[in-house]
Amino acid sequence: MAHEGGGPSASSMVVLVSLLLMAAASPAAGNFYQDFDLTWGGSDRAKIFSGGQLLSLSLDRVSGSGFRSKKEYLFGRIDMQLKLVAGNSAGTVTAYYLSSQGPTHDEIDFEFLGNLSGDPYILHTNVFTQGKGNREQQFYLWFDPTRNFHTYSVIWKPQHIIFLVDNIPIRVFKNGESIGVPFPKNQPMKIYSSLWNADDWATRGGLIKTDWSKAPFTAYYRKFQATACTWSTGSSSCEIGRPASYSGSTWKINELDAYGRRRLRWVQKYFMIYDYCADGKRFPQGIPAECKRSRF
């Protein structure tokens, strides 16, 4: 959190101390030292604090930063708490996603698109299957994601992928193999996150550029938890598609319950701002096959 050519400011030190105290008072979850590698940006930008309970990524004019899980996962639930870049975050993107490798990779994306002070973040979601994405849904959030930590989760089962914010479902992507739509089910994925400059497109289509006088931009992470099947040398840590800590009845549930469906409809009615399935101009030959059936 240092300024170019100088030490950390008094205000940045206050923020850091308060975050360390919050992390110390929180229940133990995953440990960032044990679970993740800091992959780029250097030690000045990607940092782990508080005995592995708190991680930060920073972006300045020189570089962004990122990290990656040590383990690969194939099905399960991934939870992470994030506190996003505060103030004028226009031009920045905080990405948090699962991904496999290669040209036919699978990917499950959360991307947080920064904005001018006082304007809302946009939560951008996408699902890639066999290297093909173009399944974007975007949302405003019903809270300020820069004031406190909030939990962003993925439930990845053979039947569906559910995106959740503070345990509220915001999106469901169902397995559509029966109608010819590939589904991520064979490629294990690692967890990635990065903070980077994307001012050519991220804010109002690139009209608003990053204000480097506000750098460094910093996002914080805590309470990582993976209730998931780990993957190593071609074998899973649990029976196909079900983590050992899940009961059989819980894992086999294929749909949201009635309350979950109501919450999903609430989010999609009041907070969704873009849905690829509703973008007829983008698909003049007809909307994708998965859009033609219920997604609740």
Side-chain angles (χ1 to χ4, degrees):
M1 301 185 66
H3 299 284
E4 291 186 18
S9 68
S11 60
S12 66
M13 287 301 293
V14 169
V15 170
L16 178 56
V17 169
S18 66
L19 287 167
L20 290 173
L21 290 173
M22 289 170 66
S26 302
N31 185 290
F32 285 109
Y33 285 121
Q34 297 173 3
D35 296 327
F36 292 91
D37 292 318
L38 304 178
T39 50
W40 64 284
S43 59
D44 289 341
R45 299 180 186 86
K47 302 177 183 180
I48 298 175
F49 304 102
S50 190
Q53 297 304 304
L54 184 70
L55 184 151
S56 69
L57 295 181
S58 291
L59 163 70
D60 57 31
R61 190 185 291 272
V62 175
S63 178
S65 51
F67 64 86
R68 177 184 63 212
S69 66
K70 296 178 185 290
K71 296 178 180 178
E72 291 183 300
Y73 302 94
L74 185 64
F75 303 125
R77 176 171 178 145
I78 306 297
D79 299 288
M80 185 86 78
Q81 290 195 353
L82 279 74
K83 185 173 184 286
L84 299 178
V85 174
N88 183 357
S89 59
T92 71
V93 172
T94 305
Y96 158 55
Y97 59 102
L98 290 89
S99 182
S100 60
Q101 299 298 307
T104 58
H105 76 291
D106 297 330
E107 190 171 320
I108 304 169
D109 286 349
F110 282 102
E111 289 187 322
F112 303 90
L113 312 185
N115 215 330
L116 296 170
S117 297
D119 289 341
Y121 263 83
I122 292 175
L123 171 53
H124 175 102
T125 67
N126 204 350
V127 176
F128 285 75
T129 59
Q130 299 181 9
K132 180 181 179 297
N134 300 323
R135 299 183 177 98
E136 302 91 345
Q137 289 184 356
Q138 295 183 337
F139 306 84
Y140 288 142
L141 295 166
W142 49 96
F143 52 83
D144 181 349
T146 72
R147 291 179 61 88
N148 296 296
F149 283 93
H150 292 270
T151 304
Y152 303 91
S153 308
V154 170
I155 296 174
W156 175 25
K157 295 185 179 183
Q159 303 94 343
H160 57 217
I161 296 164
I162 304 177
F163 296 75
L164 304 100
V165 177
D166 289 338
N167 214 36
I168 296 173
I170 66 168
R171 176 178 185 176
V172 176
F173 182 79
K174 293 184 178 181
N175 186 325
E177 290 178 302
S178 63
I179 56 173
V181 179
F183 185 82
K185 69 173 188 179
N186 297 316
Q187 300 187 68
M189 302 195 218
K190 289 190 174 184
I191 302 161
Y192 296 81
S193 189
S194 58
L195 175 55
W196 49 292
N197 178 45
D199 67 3
D200 57 333
W201 66 270
T203 307
R204 300 184 190 176
L207 294 176
I208 309 297
K209 301 300 182 182
T210 304
D211 182 355
W212 293 111
S213 71
K214 306 298 185 185
F217 305 96
T218 304
Y220 298 92
Y221 303 75
R222 72 178 189 185
K223 292 189 177 180
F224 163 71
Q225 185 169 347
T227 308
C229 302
T230 57
W231 185 267
S232 178
T233 61
S235 62
S236 174
S237 64
C238 48
E239 62 184 270
I240 297 299
R242 180 168 72 86
S245 56
Y246 276 40
S247 70
S249 59
T250 299
W251 187 247
K252 291 176 182 176
I253 292 173
N254 191 33
E255 306 292 343
L256 294 171
D257 62 14
Y259 177 76
R261 291 194 298 272
R262 287 196 300 270
R263 300 303 280 170
L264 177 63
R265 290 190 180 98
W266 173 75
V267 171
Q268 297 203 343
K269 179 177 180 179
Y270 294 106
F271 298 98
M272 179 185 283
I273 59 172
Y274 178 79
D275 180 5
Y276 76 108
C277 286
D279 193 345
K281 293 182 180 179
R282 184 176 173 186
F283 302 105
Q285 304 304 315
I287 60 173
E290 68 268 21
C291 299
K292 299 175 183 177
R293 64 178 190 173
S294 171
R295 291 177 287 160
F296 293 98

